Amino acid sequence: HDSVVGTFSDRLMAGGIPFLSLGESLAMLDQPTVDRLRQALVASAPDRANLFNPSFDEIGVGVVRGASGFFVTAAFIESLRRQPSDEVRRTVLKAIDTARTGKGQPAIATLDEADIAADEIVSSLIAGDTPPSPAFFGSVRVQTMVGPEIEPLLPSIVKDDRDPAGKVGIAVAFAQTSEYPGGAYYVCAVFVAP
């Protein structure tokens, strides 16, 4: 539903509220009784689906009196619990090390310069720009992932074992963008050959 300040998704994004999914139900009542509100919120299949969606864990309700009655909005979201970037970075590094040691390779070392390059790539991805190429390291492999939850992204960062990278730089940022209005983690790993 649109308003003068945009869609529900736009309003959540403007407020910096991360979410995985959302729903919105509208009703107009001549009298705002609990029974009439309940009837209005289950009158249509989409509104009923919002009300009984087990994924929605937060609700906001607004009531405004207008010339023709009361307007009620019930706004639902499935919360996205943000993790601190340094915690996500440690999770990514641990996943890389677990995959490497499982293949008989040593744990990977981090490289500050590669962290900086990864951070520049993440910033470019969030801005919608073409990421810079970190070619000054010599042979590198860049792995980027974007998604609202970190766990599903981990297999893609550890799946490629074509080169025995010696060091890695990792950058993580969380942002709400037009592609991910509810928010997403932007992760980059720059693998540097030994």
Side-chain angles (χ1 to χ4, degrees):
H1 301 107
D2 292 343
S3 75
V4 294
V5 291
T7 66
F8 180 34
S9 178
D10 294 336
R11 295 187 303 272
L12 289 170
M13 191 171 163
I17 299 169
F19 60 93
L20 289 169
S21 61
L22 58 88
E24 185 177 42
S25 298
L26 305 175
M28 190 176 107
L29 307 167
D30 57 351
Q31 293 294 318
T33 66
V34 172
D35 190 49
R36 287 185 180 172
L37 178 58
R38 182 191 55 75
Q39 288 173 359
L41 291 178
V42 297
S44 72
D47 288 337
R48 223 177 4 265
N50 284 338
L51 192 60
F52 296 111
N53 184 331
S55 297
F56 292 148
D57 55 5
E58 293 189 37
I59 184 173
V61 178
V63 179
V64 174
R65 185 178 193 160
S68 54
F70 293 86
F71 297 90
V72 179
T73 301
F76 306 87
I77 66 169
E78 176 184 4
S79 301
L80 174 59
R81 305 286 182 228
R82 270 182 69 180
Q83 299 174 16
S85 292
D86 59 338
E87 182 180 313
V88 174
R89 185 180 184 281
R90 284 192 301 273
T91 299
V92 171
L93 186 57
K94 181 178 178 183
I96 293 168
D97 277 342
T98 299
R100 287 176 58 85
T101 56
K103 296 173 187 168
Q105 298 174 330
I108 200 161
T110 58
L111 180 65
D112 290 342
E113 293 85 355
D115 284 343
I116 294 168
D119 190 56
E120 290 172 359
I121 291 169
V122 164
S123 295
S124 294
L125 290 172
I126 291 170
D129 297 333
T130 302
S133 175
F136 58 88
F137 291 114
S139 178
V140 298
R141 179 171 52 86
V142 176
Q143 184 77 38
T144 59
M145 298 134 317
V146 180
E149 297 179 283
I150 198 64
E151 291 301 322
L153 299 178
L154 295 176
S156 66
I157 199 166
V158 299
K159 70 176 180 179
D160 192 350
D161 60 357
R162 290 176 291 158
D163 52 18
K167 296 187 179 185
V168 68
I170 299 171
V172 176
F174 185 88
Q176 290 176 286
T177 63
S178 58
E179 187 177 355
Y180 292 95
Y185 293 98
Y186 288 74
V187 180
C188 177
V190 176
F191 295 92
V192 181

